[in-house]
């Protein structure tokens, strides 16, 4: 089975294949984004308060 790519780039000795997501409805996109944000916030909240403050200070 041959895999189809949306774009292929050759950069020196490296080959980069770009794969687009499958077609989906707006509702499916929203569900994926909600899950992404949920997991991102879980990762953020797993950090200690001191670590969150340090990161915030670094990027202010």
């Amino acid at each position: 089975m041959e895999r189809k790519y949306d774009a292929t780039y050759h950069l020196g000795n490296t080959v980069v294949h770009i794969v687009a997501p499958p077609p989906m409805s707006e509702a499916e996109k929203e569900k994926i984004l909600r899950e992404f944000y949920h997991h991102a916030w879980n990762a953020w909240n797993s950090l200690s308060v001191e670590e969150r403050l340090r990161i915030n200070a670094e990027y202010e």
Side-chain angles (χ1 to χ4, degrees):
M1 178 167 105
E2 185 176 323
R3 187 150 193 182
K4 301 291 181 187
Y5 302 106
D6 294 295
T8 300
Y9 299 98
H10 298 273
L11 309 168
N13 291 330
T14 303
V15 177
V16 178
H17 297 292
I18 306 298
V19 180
M24 63 182 76
S25 68
E26 284 299 316
E28 290 172 314
K29 288 179 192 176
E30 289 298 320
K31 180 180 182 231
I32 291 169
L33 283 174
R34 278 193 307 274
E35 290 175 2
F36 174 81
Y37 289 129
H38 174 78
H39 292 294
W41 277 112
N42 280 344
W44 176 255
N45 288 329
S46 72
L47 298 173
S48 68
V49 172
E50 293 81 13
E51 185 69 9
R52 285 187 252 168
L53 290 172
R54 184 193 65 74
I55 292 169
N56 284 340
E58 183 179 333
Y59 290 97
E60 283 185 340

